[in-house]
């Protein structure tokens, strides 16, 4: 697990470290600059001409220090200052004095032309960091546009200039970097879209902030790394299929067959011991052919037998409900019966749509429920527009827990998983996963994790991580355009622990 911090919180970490812990600002800066200088040395040859384009805040001070380090190591460097040096931070003035004494040429960035930039190989973007406080316009805007048109390789210091470090929004215009090194932790604004698209290869360097400095943060976001796969429960030798859960998948209706199959198969590949599918009678034959491992119970849409459903719910210890079920009266009764059971439950797609239309069902949500809406479903659930959800991705996901005491995975290019303890941002996956049925596979993974004994919190945060790695593994074998949901399922077996 690693942390992700908003720009606003990172400023608090900075302040606490400098003022309370007592690590001097220039010491942190030296390490920050060193990590960018090292990256440039690793990824360019020594004949490269490097320029730092520096604002007059501490981000600019970092950039000046990067240039000085490269100069000392034999690079041909030059510093271009953007802004009024009289209003510069003390650290910036200090870094400029040092650079001057070392012998580096210092120029005015407002005169820097595209032609001149093209002659350079590397641009160190240090115009704005987490201190960006308003939209970028005027000469700053022109400068950033010129950087984006130039042929030079761009290294962003802390965050590409112009990105909102809290939200990932582009504040008018933003630098398109080839590399970004965040200081402390990954910045939320570098991880969320559209910001993520501006960062190029993204990395972070702690630069010496102690853990104690993070206690002032309002929210510490997290993301999973491969180490966290150890949270998946081990399979004891002395076990049988009952040990790995009795999963009831309520999916599909008389017009939709695939959803139940995809969800159930993904759950099997994740390790579920027993899977029973409850679906419309029209689906029985095809599901039995596609997935003979699953048990199948069916209902008649025109003559719904609630007792059969109740028996299935009684049998199960984990339930996944929603993919392709439809949103009529029968479906409302199904969701209600499932919620009444208070068992570990994943609710997706139409299951969420049914709840969105029904205040009583919303009130029945509980702490063992994991909702997995995509943006459209979340918009209906919160009675907002998709744009409103997109603009407040993290907050919308957070509301699933805050308002309804449930867990949630708000699915997007960066899915946000929320439990009562944590907010995880998923860093795996790719655009090839934007394909029909991909969400049904995720539902199956969540349910499978619950079935094998993951607690609700770990299932909520690990499922999008595993789903994304599966998608990334598929992408190593075929173009993203060709990826189908069934391909994603087949990679789950390459991720699960032996
Ligand atoms: N000692 C520290 O405090 C450390 C700071 N660090 C660096 O410092 C950065 C933060 O420094 P600052 O807080 O000085 O802020 P920045 O350097 O990010 O930017 C602030 C400056 O930009 C101006 N500004 C903001 N929005 C503008 C706009 N739209 N148009 C024109 N000017 C605008 C402000 O008036 C101010 O002069 C971090 O991102 C990081 O790179 C790191 O070196 C780590 C240690
Ligand atoms: N650009 C992307 N990058 C990473 N993951 C993506 C991207 N687009 C979609 N996904 C993932 O694919 C899944 C799509 O789910 P969903 O929209 O419910 O599909 P469906 O309803 O067709 O099953 C989600 O888990 C989402 O996070
Ligand atoms: K920057």
């Amino acid at each position: 697990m690693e942390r992700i911090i908003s720009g606003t919180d990172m400023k608090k970490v900075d302040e606490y470290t400098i003022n309370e812990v007592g690590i001097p600002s220039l010491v942190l800066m030296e390490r920050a600059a060193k990590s960018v200088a090292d990256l440039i040395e690793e990824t360019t040859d020594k004949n490269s001409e490097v320029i730092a384009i520096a604002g007059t805040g501490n981000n600019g001070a970092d950039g000046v220090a990067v240039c000085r380090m490269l100069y000392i190591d034999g690079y041909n460097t030059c510093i271009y200052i953007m802004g009024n040096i009289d209003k510069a931070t003390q650290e910036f003035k200090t870094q400029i004095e040092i650079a001057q004494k070392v012998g580096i040429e210092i120029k005015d960035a407002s005169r820097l032309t595209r032609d001149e930039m093209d002659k350079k190989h590397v641009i160190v973007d240090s115009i704005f960091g987490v201190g960006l406080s308003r939209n970028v316009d005027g000469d700053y805007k022109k400068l950033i546009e010129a950087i984006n048109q130039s042929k030079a390789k761009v290294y962003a210091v802390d965050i590409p200039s112009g990105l909102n470090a809290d939200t990932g929004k582009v504040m008018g215009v933003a630098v398109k970097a080839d590399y970004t090194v965040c200081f402390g932790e990954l910045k939320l604004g570098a991880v969320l879209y559209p910001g993520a698209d501006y960062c190029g290869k993204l990395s972070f360097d702690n630069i010496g902030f102690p853990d104690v400095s993070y206690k002032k943060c309002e929210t510490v976001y997290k993301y999973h790394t491969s180490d966290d796969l150890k949270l998946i429960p081990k399979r004891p030798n002395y076990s049988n299929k009952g040990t790995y859960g009795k999963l009831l998948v309520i999916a599909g209706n008389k017009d939709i067959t695939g959803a139940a199959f995809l969800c159930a198969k993904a759950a099997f590949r994740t390790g579920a011991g027993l899977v029973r599918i409850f679906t419309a009678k029209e689906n029985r034959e095809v599901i039995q052919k596609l997935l003979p491992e699953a048990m199948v119970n069916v209902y008649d849409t025109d003559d719904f037998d609630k007792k059969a459903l109740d028996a299935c719910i009684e049998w199960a210890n984990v339930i996944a409900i929603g993919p392709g079920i439809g949103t009529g009266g029968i479906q409302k009764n199904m969701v209600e019966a499932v919620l009444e059971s208070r068992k570990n439950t994943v609710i997706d797609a139409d299951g969420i749509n049914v709840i969105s239309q029904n205040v009583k069902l919303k009130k029945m949500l509980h702490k063992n429920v994991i909702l997995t809406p995509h943006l459209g479903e979340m918009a209906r659930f919160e009675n907002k527009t998709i744009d409103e959800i997109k603009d407040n991705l993290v907050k919308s996901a957070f509301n699933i827990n805050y308002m309804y005491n449930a867990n949630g995975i708000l699915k997007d290019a960066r899915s946000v998983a929320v439990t009562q303890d944590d907010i995880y941002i998923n860093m795996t996956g790719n655009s090839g996963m934007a394909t029909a049925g991909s969400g049904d596979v995720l539902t199956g993974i969540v349910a499978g994790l619950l079935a094998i004994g993951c607690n609700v919190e770990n299932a909520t945060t690990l499922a999008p991580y595993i789903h994304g790695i599966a998608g990334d593994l598929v992408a190593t074998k075929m173009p993203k355009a060709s990826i189908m949901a069934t391909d994603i399922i087949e990679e789950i077996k390459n991720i699960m622990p032996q």
Side-chain angles (χ1 to χ4, degrees), residues 25-44:
S25 180
L26 287 170
V27 171
L28 293 169
M29 209 166 257
E30 203 65 9
R31 280 189 65 174
K34 179 82 168 73
S35 72
V36 179
D38 284 349
L39 177 67
I40 294 174
E41 295 202 12
E42 279 160 27
T43 50
T44 59

Side-chain angles (χ1 to χ4, degrees), residues 11 14-15 18 23-30 32-33 55-63 87-89 91 126-137 140 157-159 171 183 187 207 209:
K11 274 193 231 164
D14 263 0
E15 275 165 25
I18 295 161
I23 301 177
S25 180
L26 287 170
V27 171
L28 293 169
M29 209 166 257
E30 203 65 9
T56 54
N58 283 353
N59 192 253
D62 288 339
K87 293 188 185 154
T89 59
E91 287 90 337
S126 56
I127 306 171
F128 307 118
V130 297
L132 180 71
S133 53
R134 54 187 187 277
N135 261 17
V136 180
D137 54 20
Y140 285 95
V157 172
D158 204 19
I159 189 160
M171 304 285 282
F183 304 138
K187 300 279 166 351
I207 74 164
F209 295 110

Side-chain angles (χ1 to χ4, degrees), residues 374 411-413 415 428-431 433-440 442 467:
H374 59 48
K411 295 180 292 193
D412 196 12
S415 298
T428 58
N430 62 76
S431 62
M433 300 177 76
T435 181
S438 171
D440 305 334
L442 176 73
H467 184 242

Side-chain angles (χ1 to χ4, degrees), residues 226 229-230 232 269 445 462 465-474 488-498:
S226 55
L229 291 173
K230 66 175 183 290
I232 298 171
R269 284 285 190 220
I445 296 174
L462 280 174
Y465 176 64
I466 294 169
H467 184 242
I469 303 177
D472 289 342
L473 288 173
V474 183
I488 303 172
I489 294 176
E490 288 318 315
E491 291 300 334
I492 297 171
K493 60 177 176 288
N494 297 320
I495 303 163
M496 298 308 288
Q498 286 297 322

Side-chain angles (χ1 to χ4, degrees), residues 33 50 60 62 80 85 93 112 117-118 198 281 292 312 365 400 416 456 480:
V50 181
D62 288 339
Y80 286 86
I85 192 152
K93 289 177 182 163
L112 181 60
M117 284 189 204
D118 281 344
Y198 285 72
K281 70 177 195 292
C312 289
L365 290 169
I400 295 175
V416 182
V456 172
K480 292 191 183 92

Side-chain angles (χ1 to χ4, degrees), residues 78 119 151 203 235 304 449 488:
C78 176
K119 286 185 207 138
K151 298 188 189 106
S203 59
R235 283 175 95 84
F304 186 70
L449 288 172
I488 303 172

